[in-house]
Amino acid sequence: LGLCVSRASASVLNVNCCLVLLPMCRVLLAFLRGSQKVASRKTRRLLDKSKTFHVTCGVTICIFSVLHVAAHLVNALNFSENYNEDFLALNAANYRGEVSQLYLMSVLVPGLTGVIMVLVLFLMCTASTYAIRVSNYDIFWYTHNLFFVFYMLLMLHVSGGVLKYQTNLEEHPPGCFNPNKTLQENMTVPKAFEETFPDYTTEPFPEDLSVPEPFVQNNFMRICSEEPKFQSHFPETWFWISGPLCLYCVERLYRYIRSNKPVTITSVISHPSNVLEVRMMKADFKARPGQYVILHCPRVSTLESHPFTLTMCPTDTKATFGVHLKVVGDWTERFRDLLLLHSNQDTEILPIFQQRRYPKLYVDGPFGSPFEESLNYEVSLCVAGGIGVTPFASVLNTLLDGWKCYKLRRLYFIWVCRDIESFRWFADLLCMLHDKLWQENRPDYINIQLYLSQTDGIQKIIGEKYQALNSRLLIGRPRWKLLFDEIAKCNRRKTIGVFCCGPNKISKILHKLSNSSNSYGTRFEYNKESFS
C-alpha cells in the first residue's frame, strides 16, 4: 500500500509541477490575450484565472507532498522488514531490520533531496499566505524564488533508482524454478519437483536438458534459463517538467534582454494620499490599455522588483507612458525618496541635465490583464476602489485620444474612495474626457459616479474646473443591486463587461450580482483584478 500511494502521489506531483509554471509565463499569456484570432473572448477570460490556477497547483503540490513523504516512511519500514536474500539487487536496505538513519531513506540521494525539498516547499508555502504577503512582501518574493532550487533537487530526487524492474522476463519469468542454483546452494528440493522429475539426481543438470513444453504447461512448472536481472526505472519526471521549465527559462531570458536598457524618466509628480506618478519614455515600447509592467530599480534593491499598472500608454503621437504607485512599503518608500530627491514636484517636464540625475530604472513588460477586454464590449461597467483606479486610468487616457475606433459605446465608471483628496489623482483626466465628449455631442458615452465612503460632512473637490465632478460626487457607498438593475434596464438583451479592481468585499458583491439573472435579458460578464 505504501508503494502504491507513493507512486500515485508522485504522478500527481509530476503533473502539477508541470502545470504550475505555465501561468508564470507572462509573455505567452500576454500574447494570447492580445491575439483575438488565436484566442476567443471565452478563452481570454479563462486566462484571467491564471493566478487562481497557479495557487491551486501550488496547494495540490503541498498536499500530495505530505502524502508522498508519509508513504515513503512506510516504504522505508517495508524495505527493512522485507529484506530478500534471494534478490539482493532489489533490496534498498543493507540487512534485515535496518531502520536507523532516518529510516534508511535519508542516506540515499532520494532521501536527502526529498528532505531539502520539503523544507523549501514549507518556506514557500508559509510565506505565500495572505498575512505575510501584506505585512512583508519581501519575504514572499525571496522565498518564492527558491522554486529554482526546488526543481533542481526534483531532478536529482528522481535519479536515485530505488525502484527497479526486471529486464529478462522471457529468460526468467516470475515464479520459475532454477534447479542448477538450487543444487549448487545445497537447498532442499521441493516435493512437487521430485514428483514431477522422479529420476532427479544431485548432479547439476546438463546444459542440453530440455523439458517438453506440454509437460511443463500441464504441471505449471517452468525452468529458468538464467538469473533475474534488474534495472532502475527511467525517471518520468523529466518528461513532465523539462518542457515547461525550458519554456519559462527561455521567457525569462527574453524578458531580461528586453528590459536590459533603462528607461528615461521624464517627470515625477507627487499626488495627495502618498501617491507618486512617474512618467517615462523607452524606445520601441508598446502597450495596450489595462496592461501592467514590472519596475526594477537597482539602487532600491538589487533583486527585488514590483508590478504596477500602466495609467498612461504610449500612442502614435506620444511615446510617454506612466504609472501611479501608492507608497505603502519599504520598496516604494525608498523609491519615492530617490525620485523626489532629484525632482521638483511642481515641475512636470524637467530639463535634460536634471533627468540624468534620476536613478536607473528598468521596465519589464508590458503584460496582460483582464482590463484589456474593457474596450472590446459594447457596454462596460468599471468599478474601482481607491488606488484600484489605475488600470481604468489607462483606458480613460486612451478614450481621450480617440474612442470611435473601439467597440465600446457606453462606459459606466464607478470610483469609491475614503477621502476626498484621492479623487484628485485623476480629476483632470476625468474632466478633460467629460469636456471632450460634450464637445462631440456624446455626453452619454461615459457615466461617472464618484462615491466618498467616509466623511464628516458635505465636501467637494477643490477647484472651479472640477465642477463637472462635484455634481457626480455622492456620499456613502453604492447601492449595487439598484445600480445593476438600472444598467440592465438601460441595456436590454446586451452583454455587459464588469471589471473590478479593489477590495475583495466589493469584488464578491459584484461577482454575485453578475451571476444573478434579471428580467431584462441583460447578461453581465465578470472580470476581476486583485491586489493580493
Side-chain angles (χ1 to χ4, degrees), residues 37-50:
K37 296 181 179 180
V38 177
S40 62
R41 177 188 289 177
K42 291 183 178 180
T43 304
R44 296 196 301 270
R45 292 186 71 238
L46 287 177
L47 298 178
D48 300 343
K49 306 294 184 180
S50 59

Side-chain angles (χ1 to χ4, degrees), residues 59-314:
V59 173
T60 305
I61 290 174
C62 294
I63 294 175
F64 280 87
S65 294
V66 174
L67 189 62
H68 187 72
V69 171
H72 269 313
L73 292 177
V74 176
N75 291 337
L77 292 174
N78 292 335
F79 289 153
S80 176
E81 295 177 358
N82 299 314
Y83 182 85
N84 195 324
E85 297 180 355
D86 295 332
F87 305 104
L88 298 178
L90 287 179
N91 293 313
N94 295 320
Y95 54 87
R96 185 182 300 275
E98 184 181 15
V99 295
S100 59
Q101 298 179 351
L102 194 58
Y103 292 100
L104 175 69
M105 299 304 295
S106 63
V107 301
L108 303 174
V109 173
L112 291 174
T113 54
V115 172
I116 300 176
M117 281 195 298
V118 169
L119 295 177
V120 171
L121 193 62
F122 176 78
L123 291 176
M124 295 176 63
C125 180
T126 53
S128 300
T129 57
Y130 178 79
I132 294 181
R133 293 202 316 270
V134 173
S135 61
N136 197 327
Y137 187 84
D138 297 352
I139 297 178
F140 163 76
W141 193 89
Y142 284 113
T143 54
H144 234 60
N145 279 275
L146 292 175
F147 82 94
F148 189 76
V149 178
F150 179 86
Y151 275 91
M152 293 299 102
L153 292 173
L154 181 59
M155 292 183 180
L156 295 175
H157 180 72
V158 298
S159 63
V162 177
L163 302 180
K164 301 175 182 179
Y165 68 97
Q166 186 178 342
T167 58
N168 57 343
L169 291 175
E170 295 183 359
E171 295 80 6
H172 189 104
C176 70
F177 185 77
N178 191 339
N180 287 334
K181 179 180 178 182
T182 304
L183 292 171
Q184 293 171 2
E185 295 178 355
N186 296 321
M187 297 181 64
T188 303
V189 179
K191 183 178 180 180
F193 191 79
E194 289 181 342
E195 295 177 354
T196 305
F197 299 97
D199 298 332
Y200 173 76
T201 65
T202 57
E203 297 296 329
F205 278 26
E207 295 182 358
D208 60 349
L209 174 66
S210 61
V211 181
E213 187 68 22
F215 180 84
V216 174
Q217 293 178 354
N218 293 334
N219 292 272
F220 305 98
M221 178 65 66
R222 296 193 64 180
I223 303 299
C224 307
S225 60
E226 62 181 31
E227 295 294 324
K229 298 179 182 179
F230 301 96
Q231 181 178 341
S232 299
H233 285 275
F234 184 81
E236 298 180 357
T237 304
W238 293 78
F239 294 111
W240 288 98
I241 67 174
S242 57
L245 189 60
C246 291
L247 177 64
Y248 181 81
C249 291
V250 169
E251 182 185 273
R252 289 303 298 262
L253 179 61
Y254 169 74
R255 287 169 53 184
Y256 174 78
I257 296 174
R258 183 177 65 174
S259 62
N260 193 33
K261 185 178 180 181
V263 299
T264 301
I265 300 177
T266 59
S267 64
V268 178
I269 306 173
S270 179
H271 291 284
S273 303
N274 288 328
V275 171
L276 195 68
E277 179 182 0
V278 183
R279 296 185 182 180
M280 301 158 281
M281 295 180 62
K282 184 180 180 180
D284 300 327
F285 182 84
K286 297 180 180 180
R288 297 187 297 270
Q291 291 187 320
Y292 70 95
V293 295
I294 297 177
L295 300 185
H296 174 60
C297 183
R299 289 187 59 184
V300 176
S301 177
T302 305
L303 300 176
E304 191 175 349
S305 56
H306 289 276
F308 295 96
T309 306
L310 289 171
T311 55
M312 179 186 298
C313 295

Side-chain angles (χ1 to χ4, degrees), residues 342-414:
H342 304 296
S343 67
N344 181 2
Q345 63 182 28
D346 296 329
T347 304
E348 185 167 323
I349 305 299
L350 301 177
I352 295 180
F353 66 87
Q354 281 190 335
Q355 294 176 12
R356 295 176 180 174
R357 297 180 57 189
Y358 282 117
K360 286 186 177 181
L361 181 64
Y362 298 89
V363 173
D364 183 15
F367 303 108
S369 76
F371 304 111
E372 295 181 53
E373 293 293 322
S374 59
L375 296 175
N376 296 329
Y377 287 90
E378 185 177 350
V379 181
S380 292
L381 169 61
C382 299
V383 179
I387 195 61
V389 71
T390 51
F392 305 122
S394 61
V395 175
L396 298 177
N397 268 305
T398 301
L399 295 177
L400 185 63
D401 294 331
W403 55 271
K404 296 182 180 180
C405 59
Y406 298 103
K407 183 179 180 180
L408 183 66
R409 288 297 174 263
R410 179 169 295 177
L411 174 64
Y412 294 90
F413 178 69
I414 315 297

Side-chain angles (χ1 to χ4, degrees), residues 400-511:
L400 185 63
D401 294 331
W403 55 271
K404 296 182 180 180
C405 59
Y406 298 103
K407 183 179 180 180
L408 183 66
R409 288 297 174 263
R410 179 169 295 177
L411 174 64
Y412 294 90
F413 178 69
I414 315 297
W415 188 9
V416 184
C417 290
R418 292 183 178 180
D419 58 276
I420 194 70
E421 292 296 322
S422 300
F423 293 116
R424 302 192 64 179
W425 300 338
F426 299 102
D428 293 330
L429 173 61
L430 292 173
C431 289
M432 287 189 294
L433 181 59
H434 175 268
D435 296 339
K436 174 184 174 64
L437 294 174
W438 268 90
Q439 293 176 2
E440 297 180 0
N441 197 25
R442 280 302 308 271
D444 60 337
Y445 186 89
I446 183 172
N447 186 323
I448 301 175
Q449 297 183 28
L450 308 179
Y451 288 87
L452 185 62
S453 59
Q454 296 181 2
T455 179
D456 296 331
I458 299 178
Q459 301 185 29
K460 294 183 179 181
I461 305 176
I462 302 175
E464 295 182 359
K465 60 180 179 180
Y466 301 141
Q467 291 299 324
L469 298 184
N470 287 327
S471 61
R472 289 164 172 79
L473 180 62
L474 305 173
I475 306 300
R477 300 179 184 276
R479 303 174 67 178
W480 299 113
K481 176 61 177 175
L482 295 178
L483 180 64
F484 268 70
D485 290 340
E486 181 183 353
I487 295 176
K489 183 179 180 180
C490 297
N491 302 274
R492 297 172 184 266
R493 294 180 296 277
K494 291 184 179 180
T495 300
I496 300 176
V498 181
F499 301 86
C500 175
C501 185
N504 286 329
K505 185 177 180 180
I506 297 179
S507 176
K508 292 179 180 179
I509 296 175
L510 298 183
H511 195 180

